[in-house]
Amino acid sequence: MALSAIEVGDLTKDFGGLRAVDRVSLRVAAGERRVLIGPNGAGKTTLFHCITGTLRTSAGRVSLFGRDVTHLPEHRRTALGMGRTFQTSNVFMDLSLLENLVLAIIGTDRRKWVMHRSVGTFEAVRAKAREGLELVALAHRANDAAKFLSYGERRQLELALALNSDPRVLFLDEPCAGLSPSERHSISRMIGELPRDITVLMIEHDMDVALRLADRVTVLHRGRAILEGTPTEVQTNPEVREVYFGHV
Ligand SMILES: Nc1ncnc2c1ncn2[C@@H]1O[C@H](COP(=O)(O)OP(=O)(O)OP(=O)(O)O)[C@@H](O)[C@H]1O
Ligand SMILES: [Mg+2]
């Protein structure tokens, strides 16, 4: 069997008396684009946080690339190749986009960049930063301060920041939330064009975006994974239409 990027077994998360995630199992193959859908409060973000290590699980197991990470803190999972948005706090509003990327690059690879600092190395960092901005179509704003970005452009910058650590698996929680239709289109196109060596697990409410980007879709409802299938299988499933779309 192909290598799994993410493997979750019987994962449960309780908040006091509330079971937000209820014995969810799923396996995402390396290179796959998996989209999580489900109504508000279904447990999607909580499941995400348990996989990334932001939250401790109440029960069950999480593996990344075959390595059991259930008890590893978030930064150790990041070291295994986990990238994620949207940690807005990582954006320095008064610095330019290029400077933000440069800092992020230096931050993720401190030993490589800082211990052997030289003009040549710094040029390499700047070049990588520029590449990162090009990838999310923000190269033309490289010298503008982050505070002058529109909401949609800030999300593009956050995507660049997440990608800058060369993640093997990228977690995106509603990357298109709050965007205009044209911004939504450009972010989803960028996600669609990510190289296939990056596995993507994404929560998405916009059904068009979700079904266009996904190889497979997992439907969460009241903390449980009620269905997994191709976009077509999910779209035509009567139970999903009932719980998610509110009609059959
Ligand atoms: N830190 C927390 N403490 C207590 N309850 C929480 C906490 N985080 C989430 N919950 C509850 O857990 C359930 C699942 O929430 P979660 O945010 O995972 O849902 P979601 O599927 O991401 O919803 P949405 O589509 O609205 O983002 C909800 O009932 C929510 O109120
Ligand atoms: Mg959520």
Side-chain angles (χ1 to χ4, degrees):
M1 196 160 48
L3 178 69
S4 299
I6 305 166
E7 217 164 324
V8 168
D10 282 327
L11 194 149
T12 294
K13 177 65 186 177
D14 295 324
F15 292 114
L18 175 85
R19 180 148 294 184
V21 176
D22 190 5
R23 283 168 295 153
V24 167
S25 295
L26 56 86
R27 180 184 166 273
V28 181
E32 187 180 328
R33 276 90 181 88
R34 175 72 60 93
V35 175
L36 273 180
I37 63 168
N40 292 118
K44 303 179 296 296
T45 297
T46 305
L47 174 61
F48 240 57
H49 285 160
C50 289
I51 300 174
T52 59
T54 311
L55 286 173
R56 292 170 69 100
T57 59
S58 304
R61 299 168 308 282
V62 180
S63 299
L64 294 176
F65 300 100
R67 165 109 188 252
D68 188 332
V69 298
T70 315
H71 302 291
L72 288 189
E74 190 167 17
H75 70 273
R76 297 276 309 278
R77 300 186 199 197
T78 306
L80 288 173
M82 184 184 81
R84 56 180 307 192
T85 60
F86 290 101
Q87 296 167 327
T88 327
S89 55
N90 287 350
V91 176
F92 295 100
M93 290 300 169
D94 288 324
L95 296 186
S96 73
L97 307 197
L98 195 67
E99 287 163 340
N100 265 285
L101 262 288
V102 164
L103 283 180
I105 292 166
I106 292 172
T108 50
D109 212 347
R110 209 167 277 129
R111 259 182 320 174
K112 190 165 154 202
W113 299 113
V114 177
M115 307 244 310
H116 309 287
R117 190 187 304 169
S118 71
V119 176
T121 316
F122 190 66
E123 275 314 308
V125 175
R126 281 175 64 93
K128 187 169 163 33
R130 220 166 254 290
E131 254 170 52
L133 290 175
E134 272 161 25
L135 206 61
V136 298
L138 282 177
H140 63 295
R141 311 232 23 200
N143 298 315
D144 294 344
K147 65 183 171 200
F148 297 125
L149 296 182
S150 71
Y151 182 72
E153 288 169 330
R154 194 172 310 162
R155 302 218 104 173
Q156 284 167 238
L157 175 62
E158 287 162 353
L159 185 58
L161 290 169
L163 288 170
N164 118 88
S165 59
D166 297 324
R168 298 165 79 195
V169 55
L170 189 60
F171 292 83
L172 304 171
D173 191 346
E174 300 194 37
C176 296
L179 301 187
S180 70
S182 76
E183 289 172 330
R184 202 174 302 162
H185 181 77
S186 64
I187 281 264
S188 63
R189 189 175 45 77
M190 282 165 212
I191 296 168
E193 286 172 359
L194 290 175
R196 273 281 166 174
D197 52 6
I198 303 178
T199 306
V200 179
L201 180 61
M202 181 170 121
I203 299 173
E204 184 53 65
H205 268 294
D206 184 322
M207 204 45 63
D208 291 338
V209 172
L211 299 176
R212 190 153 31 84
L213 288 178
D215 295 319
R216 298 181 71 73
V217 178
T218 297
V219 186
L220 238 62
H221 181 50
R222 299 199 179 127
R224 309 193 70 157
I226 60 165
L227 183 78
E228 182 193 311
T230 62
T232 314
E233 284 164 352
V234 166
Q235 233 174 342
T236 52
N237 182 283
E239 197 186 352
V240 172
R241 296 184 76 83
E242 177 70 35
V243 301
Y244 195 74
F245 300 102
H247 59 89
V248 182

